[in-house]
Amino acid sequence: MRHRPLRHAGRVNLPSELSGFIGRGAELAALGRLLEDSRLVTVTGAGGVGKSRLVLAAARAAAGGAREAAEGAPEAEEAPGARGARAPGRERHRDGVRLAELAGVRDPGLLELTLSEALGLTDHTTRPPRTVLAEHLADRYLLLVLDGFEHLVEETAALVRELLLRCPGLRVLAAGRRPLELEGERVFPLAPPVPAEALELLAARASAADPAFAVTGANRADLVELCARLDGIPLALELAAGRLRTLSPAQVLARLEDPFGLLTGGARGGLPRHRALRTAIGWSHELCTPAERLLWARLSVFAGQFDLDAAEYVCAGPDMPVEGVLDLVGELLAQSLLVREETAAGVRFRMLETVRLYGAGWLESLGDAVRLRRRHRDWYMGLATWCELDWFSPRQYEVAALVEVELPNLRLALDCCLDEPDELHLGQYLAGTLWFFWAGCGRLTEGRHWLDRTLDAPGGTATEYESSRLKALWVLGYVAALQGDATASMCALHECRDAAARSGNRVAAAYAVHRLGCLALVSDDMARARELLGEALEQYRAAGELNSNVLMCQVELGMALAFLGDLPGALALCGEVREICEERGELWTKAYALYVLAYAALEAGGTREARRLLTECVEVNHAFNDLVGLVLALELLALVTVAEGDPAEAAVLQGAAEPLWGGVGLQLFGSGYFNAPRLLCRERAGELLGAERYAAYEAEGRELSRESLVVRALRGAASVPRQAGAPGGMPGPRLSRSTAPADQP
């Protein structure tokens, strides 16, 4: 079975164009010239003027150059200290073009994480995300595109300044309503398009909505007047184009004469183009039916994308029957007030930020904003609960993809819980319920952010809803252990275990003991890990608990036994987990069971079986973006490759896995047991190749992207050309006991 990765860390993450880019040729050329000479360019202008479309067009042009640089012949390198300042044209963005959309980021604490996500970074450590970003970008030629930063201008400016100072090959192209006001920034004020381009845009969008539409001698004057009255603002023109499906240009112009105060143009003293945009959106609002206006206002509580089920639950009520929401959504789509998008989790809808903000203002004026935010929170609480249950099923990949898409709304729900002191326990429950996403899908840093916030907030120690707090505590202990933060993990888990004992919460107690055993495992205390993990398994069984966590406990016990040399015991435990996972369709825990089975197979000299198991393990871990599991499997696969007689390919794999440790932290928490395959591979391959050749092959591997690395690992040693001088097969290495730290049993 093939599994697609949830996120790709490739060179480019720009969205595809849903409609053609019209006009703006002069602006695009001028912006391109600025990017050649400046490391920070900010496109500014009123909402709806087309900033996002222009910077994306410029980014696509830059991405084309980056692809040419990646695929063509290499050019001469500059001195490391001079990277980026005057890079050759094709080299300037050779490491890619990445877009970070900031309009939906409400919490300043998530700014760095959003940029990390845009860059495809996964970091399991406790290092500040800003440090991770700077280290990743330090020696790269990359164009970072920031769209919609104005509500976080101070935080964005500080981050951009630091990154530009520390990363000489980085260039930033930003779009917002105001400059960042940084030294060296080149500001590109964007005016509405010239009249001819405005008319071209209006005609193109009207034709898309109604193929029968055409500019004629009879309607041209009205269309030109309409463009002028709307100041040529692209968003206003697109809204007007949606109306030309049912109204003539003359009728649209007549509507703009509507005497309602809403249509007179906003606050006194405002910029004309701001007033024109508000007029256009207000005009669209007035043309909506009362029910459409109400749905518009209520949909404004969503962050980013949402699906029909969510819209029906959150927005329906006595004044809006649930069965009528679908038709209303269709009407808002027809009027260009909603956008329909295909995602990995299915069809989603989204409002342009300017349109959403207009609806949010109306919702506040109706006095219904608090109630709708709570309904929104309740829906996503239910979604998270369902996803946690469904994680232990054949739909595990679909669950991961769904949470990935819904993350902006889940963040909003968590914020809502934190805004209400009496509902803090709901935030603790939600942050804890998403454990599978934090730990299983490469989101440890963000999980730690929310767990710390909900547990440390005033009132977070209340015992009225103790079960929610206990869940958040054991999840915090789990996340902190995987981050290598033993002190925080120990404190949270002991607090959880002691409180669970006092209240008689057997399930929470089992989770606390389990994660203490996990902490012992990654700390190389195998005897203690064996004791605690065995105790936790007994407690789980007594409580009737069975899910991915319980099976992971059994796998971790199998790891401890394998490291201690009890291979039959490890095989029995992990073989049983594999059978249960295959019966239930569970993939994530199964991948870790396969790792232990491969470890045991390699110990017994079964390199072919070990490769088969590890290939599936790599595929699944890559699909879930589980960096810990991926790097462990890759390094064991490199050792298998040495045993198969190809030390050169093993060195390439080893070198490619090395940068992944930057996201995990210390070489798996400094564990001698987990690091044994890496060290033994280096020793064996180095002896066979010699230090100089080994270093060269390892350096070749470090240049591979994660995607390329995974493709190479899945392809297998048989299809990789055998390096000259590589010996034939070798006996399997001994990994247990003899490679353990000297002071361990």
Side-chain angles (χ1 to χ4, degrees):
M1 179 179 179
R2 305 291 293 180
H3 309 285
R4 294 175 296 143
L6 300 182
R7 294 191 303 279
H8 299 281
R11 295 178 183 274
V12 177
N13 70 337
L14 303 176
S16 59
E17 285 191 285
L18 299 178
S19 56
F21 185 70
I22 295 173
R24 298 292 200 185
E27 291 93 335
L28 190 56
L31 185 57
R33 289 192 294 271
L34 277 181
L35 281 172
E36 290 179 3
D37 298 328
S38 308
R39 295 183 58 214
L40 172 59
V41 179
T42 303
V43 178
T44 61
V49 80
K51 300 183 297 294
S52 296
R53 293 295 294 266
L54 183 66
V55 298
L56 285 176
R60 290 188 184 96
R67 278 191 289 270
E68 289 178 10
E71 296 167 2
E75 297 191 13
E77 287 287 344
E78 295 179 290
R83 286 177 65 94
R86 297 293 300 176
R90 293 200 313 160
E91 289 281 290
R92 188 171 293 112
H93 309 128
R94 73 174 189 187
D95 291 312
V97 179
R98 308 292 295 183
L99 167 66
E101 297 184 281
L102 304 181
V105 179
R106 314 287 175 83
D107 182 352
L110 295 177
L111 178 61
E112 288 95 341
L113 288 174
T114 302
L115 265 62
S116 295
E117 180 182 353
L119 292 167
L121 293 179
T122 301
D123 185 66
H124 288 332
T125 72
T126 57
R127 295 180 299 168
R130 185 169 300 202
T131 300
V132 176
L133 282 169
E135 290 179 0
H136 175 77
L137 295 170
D139 60 352
R140 284 175 165 81
Y141 287 128
L142 185 135
L143 176 63
L144 178 61
V145 183
L146 305 178
D147 189 18
F149 63 81
E150 52 269 349
H151 60 302
L152 297 171
V153 64
E154 297 297 333
E155 296 84 358
T156 304
L159 177 58
V160 168
R161 180 180 184 276
E162 181 173 344
L163 292 178
L164 289 173
L165 286 173
R166 297 177 62 180
C167 311
L170 175 67
R171 289 170 184 260
V172 176
L173 173 59
R177 299 193 185 191
R178 56 170 295 178
L180 289 167
E181 298 182 354
L182 293 175
E183 183 180 356
E185 179 182 26
R186 298 293 298 273
V187 178
F188 187 90
L190 184 62
V194 298
E197 288 186 351
L199 179 59
E200 183 183 2
L201 175 61
L202 178 62
R205 299 298 184 253
S207 297
D210 178 11
F213 176 86
V215 180
T216 67
N219 66 16
R220 176 181 290 274
D222 288 335
L223 291 171
V224 170
E225 175 66 14
L226 180 58
C227 291
R229 293 283 300 280
L230 295 177
D231 253 355
I233 293 178
L235 177 57
L237 296 175
E238 300 217 13
L239 293 171
R243 286 301 179 182
L244 288 173
R245 188 178 61 171
T246 53
L247 299 174
S248 70
Q251 288 173 315
V252 172
L253 277 172
R255 293 277 181 167
L256 289 180
E257 299 292 346
D258 192 295
F260 288 109
L262 175 66
L263 302 180
T264 59
R268 184 174 310 216
L271 290 175
R273 61 184 65 149
H274 287 170
R275 294 200 301 269
L277 177 62
R278 180 169 176 82
T279 297
I281 298 178
W283 162 70
S284 290
H285 190 268
E286 287 302 314
L287 288 178
C288 289
T289 66
E292 291 164 3
R293 293 176 206 161
L294 185 59
L295 181 61
W296 178 350
R298 290 179 176 177
L299 289 175
S300 69
V301 300
F302 289 98
Q305 300 168 328
F306 56 89
D307 66 5
L308 181 61
D309 289 339
E312 288 176 335
Y313 177 86
V314 174
C315 300
D319 51 356
M320 182 176 290
V322 66
E323 59 272 14
V325 172
L326 174 58
D327 289 339
L328 292 172
V329 166
E331 288 301 317
L332 295 181
L333 277 170
Q335 297 171 52
S336 302
L337 296 167
L338 283 180
V339 178
R340 181 184 184 275
E341 297 179 336
E342 294 282 349
T343 73
V347 173
R348 289 292 187 276
F349 305 100
R350 178 177 59 84
M351 276 187 175
L352 295 176
E353 184 65 9
T354 308
V355 175
R356 190 197 68 78
L357 289 172
Y358 191 96
W362 272 88
L363 189 63
E364 289 287 349
S365 69
L366 293 171
D368 207 20
V370 173
R371 183 184 72 86
L372 264 294
R373 280 196 288 268
R374 287 176 176 167
R375 285 185 66 82
H376 174 277
R377 177 207 62 202
D378 292 346
W379 172 262
Y380 286 99
M381 291 275 293
L383 180 76
T385 301
W386 174 84
C387 286
E388 181 188 31
L389 294 172
D390 222 32
W391 180 254
F392 189 47
S393 80
R395 294 175 295 279
Q396 196 170 54
Y397 174 76
E398 287 78 3
V399 168
L402 176 60
V403 177
E404 179 87 12
V405 169
E406 295 287 11
L407 187 56
N409 282 302
L410 289 164
R411 289 168 173 168
L412 197 59
L414 284 160
D415 271 328
C416 182
C417 297
L418 287 163
D419 289 341
E420 301 283 347
D422 294 339
E423 296 178 348
L424 192 57
H425 63 285
L426 297 177
Q428 294 172 348
Y429 170 83
L430 182 53
T433 296
L434 290 170
W435 66 267
F436 63 91
F437 190 64
W438 311 141
C441 300
R443 293 284 190 166
L444 291 179
T445 305
E446 178 157 359
R448 181 73 180 269
H449 170 84
W450 291 113
L451 290 161
D452 282 340
R453 283 191 66 191
T454 58
L455 287 166
D456 294 343
T461 59
T463 59
E464 184 179 358
Y465 300 97
E466 189 177 49
S467 61
S468 294
R469 179 172 175 79
L470 292 179
K471 186 169 191 174
L473 281 169
W474 73 253
V475 175
L476 174 60
Y478 181 21
V479 167
L482 293 178
Q483 288 184 306
D485 189 349
T487 301
S489 177
M490 188 77 71
C491 290
L493 293 172
H494 278 295
E495 182 181 350
C496 179
R497 185 179 64 178
D498 295 345
R502 289 193 300 269
S503 63
N505 190 324
R506 294 193 301 164
V507 173
Y511 280 107
V513 173
H514 171 191
R515 293 308 166 191
L516 285 167
C518 175
L519 182 59
L521 181 71
V522 299
S523 302
D524 277 352
D525 190 348
M526 292 303 148
R528 181 65 171 159
R530 177 175 55 189
E531 175 189 347
L532 289 170
L533 293 168
E535 179 185 341
L537 268 182
E538 292 178 4
Q539 292 181 13
Y540 280 139
R541 289 165 181 161
E545 191 86 349
L546 179 61
N547 54 37
S548 296
N549 265 306
V550 175
L551 293 180
M552 187 63 81
C553 181
Q554 189 164 328
V555 170
E556 289 163 350
L557 179 56
M559 284 183 182
L561 295 181
F563 291 152
L564 291 170
D566 183 3
L567 295 182
L571 286 169
L573 285 171
C574 292
E576 182 182 16
V577 169
R578 182 183 185 181
E579 290 177 3
I580 296 172
C581 287
E582 289 175 347
E583 177 185 329
R584 297 291 188 120
E586 211 276 2
L587 297 170
W588 176 63
T589 307
K590 177 186 173 184
Y592 282 89
L594 295 178
Y595 172 82
V596 179
L597 294 173
Y599 182 101
L602 184 58
E603 282 276 67
T607 55
R608 179 175 297 180
E609 174 67 3
R611 173 172 289 281
R612 188 180 66 81
L613 294 167
L614 288 170
T615 296
E616 185 176 354
C617 186
V618 166
E619 188 176 18
V620 172
N621 283 318
H622 179 54
F624 286 113
N625 203 42
D626 185 343
L627 203 58
V628 172
L630 178 62
V631 71
L632 286 176
L634 286 168
E635 292 198 333
L636 191 57
L637 187 60
L639 184 57
V640 169
T641 306
V642 171
E644 290 173 332
D646 196 346
E649 179 65 12
V652 171
L653 291 175
Q654 188 71 65
E658 190 77 21
L660 299 183
W661 283 114
V664 176
L666 294 173
Q667 302 288 347
L668 222 133
F669 328 115
S671 165
Y673 290 97
F674 283 105
N675 275 314
R678 178 178 63 89
L679 298 175
L680 190 53
C681 175
R682 178 177 294 171
E683 177 187 336
R684 290 270 181 102
E687 288 174 353
L688 293 165
L689 294 169
E692 186 175 345
R693 292 181 66 208
Y694 178 87
Y697 284 121
E698 194 177 49
E700 177 187 335
R702 281 196 292 271
E703 293 299 312
L704 293 175
S705 68
R706 193 188 307 179
E707 293 287 337
S708 299
L709 166 60
V710 170
V711 168
R712 189 157 181 160
L714 296 181
R715 188 173 59 193
S719 63
V720 177
R722 184 59 57 91
Q723 306 297 331
M730 298 167 55
R734 297 294 299 170
L735 285 161
S736 58
R737 284 192 178 275
S738 61
T739 55
D743 59 341
Q744 296 295 329

